[in-house]
Amino acid sequence: MIFFSFFMFTADLRPDDADYAQVVIHHMQALKDMGYDGFDLHIAPQLTLADCQAAVDSYARLKEKFDKAGLGDMAFSTNVGTTPNFDPTSPWQQQRDAALAYLKTRIDITAALGEPAIMSGPFLYPYGAFPVTDLGTPLWSDALLDWMEPRFATAREPFVELSAYAADKGVTLAIEPVKSWETPPPNMVSQALDFIESIDFSTVPGANCGVTVDTAQVVMESQGPQVFRDNIERATRHERLHYVHVSAPDRGAVHDSWIPWELMLDTIVPVFKGPWLVEVFNAVTPFDSSMRMGRQRFWRPGEDAPKEGVPSAYDIARAGLDTLRGQLAAAHQRQSALHNHHA
């Protein structure tokens, strides 16, 4: 299965906005016609737990609109992040409890959207919340890692309960490491695995907490090819590789990019059956500023005026799908040739 990320179009689906729902549906129908199997939807954060709970019903109603529009056969995953208000690593119990309640509503939304029910994203530590000393001095390197260590330890208990809740709802959790200039750890797959492996899930039947591997994050925040291979083996050994995001290092077009296809796919394809995500961050709010984008926006049909000489979001999506299909086919051929050689 190959999904497409709605980061191409928006960071907020505005599920209560009936007019915008039609815009979203238009994009989904176009992507379905291209051959995509599903969509990855960012679930925008809310400020209060009451708003978070209300959002569950809003997304359920939005899914009904998708179904009525002929999209009932499409699969969905979600992209979720924690916030400073809802921080499962907080030293304060009240804040951890709030974070647990918050993340449970995100699980409810993921379940409401249907199978394969994968909740991915930076939902261990609040995205972009860099710590400082009492004097306002940022923490980096060893100081940052030392500061994070007790935060990860504190998060183990809420993640046991969160995993139990997810298992009950049929939702798979996939923590995504994100590069260090965007957010504090976990920045690497190994750090996410370290955290997961430190938790005793023996009391949680069906616990399915694992990782998302993002090609862009690995290229930009990685220790090299051998560690990459070791991490994939480590993740698959205990069935913790749940999602693979195929994204260019500049987070733009996938079809002509610096993704090391052969190295990555020859490692992943033998042990992972999907789903795969084509993820492109477009120059839309808030990504244009938060990711300091200097490139032009891929214009969105039905939302932006066409720009001469600039590809549309659909052009980039179609090329990304064709490229990923071709690269997966080539990886399978190499795998088959290698198998026949050793037979």
Side-chain angles (χ1 to χ4, degrees):
M1 299 179 76
I2 299 179
F3 292 11
F4 190 74
S5 170
F6 258 68
F7 280 150
M8 173 65 87
F9 306 106
T10 183
D12 186 358
L13 289 167
R14 311 198 309 256
D16 288 322
D17 186 332
D19 291 336
Y20 190 61
Q22 295 308 308
V23 174
V24 171
I25 287 170
H26 175 79
H27 291 321
M28 287 183 173
Q29 289 172 332
L31 293 163
K32 177 182 177 179
D33 290 344
M34 290 178 202
Y36 279 99
D37 302 300
F39 313 107
D40 188 72
L41 307 180
H42 179 247
I43 309 303
Q46 283 82 31
L47 294 178
T48 70
L49 286 176
D51 291 338
C52 294
Q53 188 56 54
V56 177
D57 296 331
S58 297
Y59 279 95
R61 290 192 295 269
L62 183 61
K63 178 59 164 62
E64 290 176 358
K65 293 176 182 176
F66 295 161
D67 293 345
K68 289 179 181 178
L71 296 164
D73 58 338
M74 302 303 285
F76 293 87
S77 59
T78 60
N79 187 290
V80 169
T82 50
T83 73
N85 288 340
F86 304 116
D87 180 3
T89 76
S90 171
W92 294 284
Q93 183 70 48
Q94 185 176 8
Q95 201 167 6
R96 293 198 302 276
D97 290 344
L100 183 59
Y102 168 81
L103 289 172
K104 284 181 177 179
T105 67
R106 311 293 94 169
I107 288 172
D108 290 339
I109 290 170
T110 305
L113 290 170
E115 296 181 355
I118 298 173
M119 187 176 95
S120 178
F123 56 85
L124 171 52
Y125 178 82
Y127 175 84
F130 289 94
V132 296
T133 68
D134 292 341
L135 298 177
T137 304
L139 300 178
W140 304 112
S141 189
D142 290 352
L144 175 60
L145 294 174
D146 290 344
W147 185 88
M148 291 297 306
E149 189 173 344
R151 309 285 294 212
F152 288 153
T154 298
R156 291 172 190 158
E157 183 178 348
F159 261 78
V160 170
E161 186 172 345
L162 187 70
S163 297
Y165 189 82
D168 185 61
K169 295 289 184 175
V171 172
T172 296
L173 302 178
I175 298 171
E176 180 182 1
V178 176
K179 57 187 175 297
S180 59
W181 68 261
E182 284 189 56
T183 191
N187 306 123
M188 295 181 286
V189 174
S190 56
Q191 291 173 322
L193 289 172
D194 286 344
F195 171 74
I196 294 166
E197 291 171 359
S198 74
I199 300 173
D200 181 6
F201 288 115
S202 62
T203 60
V204 184
N208 207 5
C209 184
V211 296
T212 291
V213 171
D214 184 307
T215 61
Q217 309 294 1
V218 169
V219 170
M220 291 185 287
E221 193 80 33
S222 173
Q223 295 160 290
Q226 188 55 53
V227 171
F228 172 73
R229 296 186 187 97
D230 292 344
N231 282 336
I232 297 300
E233 190 280 329
R234 181 180 170 191
T236 56
R237 189 188 315 148
H238 300 291
E239 299 183 342
R240 288 182 173 135
L241 178 57
H242 296 326
Y243 208 2
V244 174
H245 292 185
V246 177
S247 188
D250 72 342
R251 314 319 298 272
V254 166
H255 65 277
D256 183 18
S257 68
W258 292 105
I259 297 174
W261 293 105
E262 187 168 335
L263 185 154
M264 287 186 161
L265 295 189
D266 285 1
T267 302
I268 297 173
V269 163
V271 295
F272 182 72
K273 304 306 178 187
W276 304 80
L277 175 71
V278 174
E279 185 178 52
V280 179
F281 284 73
N282 203 1
V284 296
T285 304
F287 304 135
D288 50 358
S289 59
S290 66
M291 303 186 78
R292 298 171 174 83
M293 290 187 178
R295 55 178 161 82
Q296 290 183 300
R297 183 165 67 229
F298 305 124
W299 58 273
R300 300 161 295 175
E303 294 190 74
D304 304 317
K307 294 182 179 180
E308 185 177 353
V310 178
S312 74
Y314 294 175
D315 294 330
I316 298 301
R318 188 177 293 105
L321 179 60
D322 291 344
T323 298
L324 179 55
R325 281 175 169 170
Q327 292 290 348
L328 287 173
H332 282 292
Q333 289 176 352
R334 290 191 296 270
Q335 183 182 357
S336 178
L338 183 63
H339 176 76
N340 292 335
H341 176 75
H342 291 292

